[in-house]
Amino acid sequence: MQSQKKHTPTFSFELFPPKTPEGMEKLKVTISELNKLNPAYFSVTYGAGGSTQDRTFATVDHLRECGINTAPHLSCIGSHRDEIMEILNHYRDQGISRIVALRGDMPSGMGGEPGDFRYANELVEFIRKETGDHFYLEVAAYPEIHPQATTAEADLDNFKRKVDAGANSAITQYFYNADAYCRFIEDCEKRDIEIPVVPGIMPINNFVQLARFSDASGTEIPRWLRQRLEGYGDDIDSIRSYGMDVVTRLCEQLLEAGAPGLHFYTMNQVGPSSQLWKNLGIKG
Ligand code: FAD
């Protein structure tokens, strides 16, 4: 983990754009509370094929109006070059200088038109070609291997393509096994990948929802953890309290091992991420 230790730690929060005006009002309160913790930035997810484009823009607008450092996610699958360019120009005009560049997954029922980009490395290459060094580019990394990867080796090679195309930094898919992250970093070092790889942290709040997300994203919930959480049944308080202990310990292990920060998947909630932040003594 030598290569990770030299980076200045970055602590950040991820939001998703709400579907309703009421959701947006609630999110404004969440943002204001989480911003008191002084994160490096907030990122805002974006639906592939532009499915949540306007809602992402509205959330980003609000963050910018509050003077908060913002990193919109931008996924490319199903999009054409001119559409992506329009979005990049929009963000550049807004003074945004950080983007999370992704391939994304086509939502089911949106048709098979693949657009001009097949993989995220092509998006990174395009952004660099068209906008030079204006944007600091984050990309996704998968310590437990992307579910569509043919092999673990191929997945690492594909990660390197994004780095070689000009990614500055990476955020991982969430995981509950610190060793998977440490091994991933060692594999990166063997490939001379030296950009910061910031672990994505998913607080444990709701077991059914977590199990569903984990199946879709290829994240392993270790047997010992699954059994404990399942055993609590509908006892939400016990799930949250046990989950908080487990995730606090995970974060401590990652930081002790040299992780260059943490990116919290807030699920638009103040409580779990801010509690973790406090447990870890993060100053922001
Ligand atoms: P890629 O890096 O393109 O990889 C996708 C798959 O293709 C991998 O299996 C990879 O090994 C393979 N591959 C990559 N390049 C090549 C190549 N050149 N040749 C052959 N195979 C290749 N989704 C959203 O829709 N919106 C979001 O806002 C969003 N935010 C995310 C944030 C983070 C931090 C993470 C980790 C994921 C996020 N996702 C989001 C989910 C992500 O879009 C999916 O995991 C998607 O399936 C892959 O996107 P990617 O950018 O990692 O793709």
Side-chain angles (χ1 to χ4, degrees):
M1 299 273 298
Q2 211 47 45
S3 67
Q4 297 294 296
K5 284 194 174 141
K6 67 184 181 201
H7 303 292
T8 312
T10 304
F11 298 96
S12 50
F13 290 126
E14 180 167 312
L15 307 169
F16 63 85
K19 286 195 176 115
T20 60
E22 297 76 44
M24 189 65 200
E25 288 314 305
K26 270 194 196 157
L27 183 63
K28 287 179 181 173
V29 178
T30 299
I31 290 170
S32 145
E33 287 302 309
L34 289 177
N35 196 40
K36 290 178 188 159
L37 299 172
N38 200 22
Y41 66 92
F42 283 81
S43 82
V44 184
T45 64
Y46 179 83
S51 56
T52 61
Q53 179 171 306
D54 289 344
R55 291 193 268 125
T56 299
F57 288 163
T59 308
V60 168
D61 284 348
H62 174 72
L63 287 159
R64 297 302 298 158
E65 281 158 17
C66 296
I68 293 173
N69 283 338
T70 310
H73 294 207
L74 179 58
S75 58
C76 60
I77 195 82
S79 297
H80 292 282
R81 285 187 192 85
D82 54 345
E83 293 164 332
I84 295 289
M85 199 59 231
E86 206 176 308
I87 297 173
L88 293 173
N89 285 334
H90 171 73
Y91 285 147
R92 198 163 39 180
D93 292 347
Q94 272 190 310
I96 283 172
S97 57
R98 186 176 205 129
I99 281 180
V100 184
L102 303 145
R103 183 196 71 177
D105 292 307
M106 219 42 175
S108 51
M110 274 197 69
E113 161 63 59
D116 289 336
F117 302 89
R118 288 169 309 160
Y119 298 107
N121 65 295
E122 296 170 10
L123 176 63
V124 173
E125 202 178 306
F126 178 78
I127 299 176
R128 282 283 171 252
K129 182 167 159 279
E130 296 299 331
T131 65
D133 286 335
H134 176 79
F135 292 105
Y136 183 97
L137 295 179
E138 304 270 2
V139 290
Y142 301 86
E144 294 186 335
I145 309 160
H146 186 268
Q148 291 157 12
T150 45
T151 63
E153 288 292 305
D155 208 27
L156 278 156
D157 292 342
N158 291 329
F159 178 56
K160 184 164 167 51
R161 285 180 217 271
K162 297 193 274 196
V163 178
D164 292 345
N168 299 100
S169 173
I171 304 169
T172 75
Q173 184 57 277
Y174 69 92
F175 55 86
Y176 295 105
N177 181 352
D179 280 347
Y181 172 79
C182 294
R183 288 202 172 268
F184 182 80
I185 297 301
E186 282 166 23
D187 286 336
C188 287
E189 283 170 7
K190 285 181 198 148
R191 285 168 170 76
D192 295 324
I193 297 172
E194 295 208 336
I195 63 168
V197 179
V198 176
I201 301 297
M202 179 70 89
I204 298 175
N205 228 9
N206 173 328
F207 176 65
V208 177
Q209 190 189 46
L210 182 72
R212 202 178 58 236
F213 283 166
S214 303
D215 284 347
S217 64
T219 296
E220 187 194 26
I221 305 179
R223 186 172 182 279
W224 59 268
L225 177 55
R226 182 179 282 271
Q227 297 280 96
R228 281 300 280 263
L229 296 174
E230 265 174 355
Y232 290 129
D234 294 335
D235 180 357
I236 291 289
D237 289 345
S238 296
I239 291 176
R240 290 186 180 161
S241 150
Y242 187 71
M244 185 54 68
D245 279 356
V246 168
V247 178
T248 301
R249 181 72 197 116
L250 172 71
C251 294
E252 285 167 351
Q253 284 176 312
L254 293 167
L255 293 172
E256 279 160 20
L262 300 169
H263 181 74
F264 295 90
Y265 295 111
T266 69
M267 305 304 289
N268 290 3
Q269 293 182 24
V270 177
S273 298
S274 60
Q275 186 61 51
L276 281 169
W277 194 277
K278 284 172 195 150
N279 291 354
L280 297 166
I282 300 171
K283 297 281 179 285

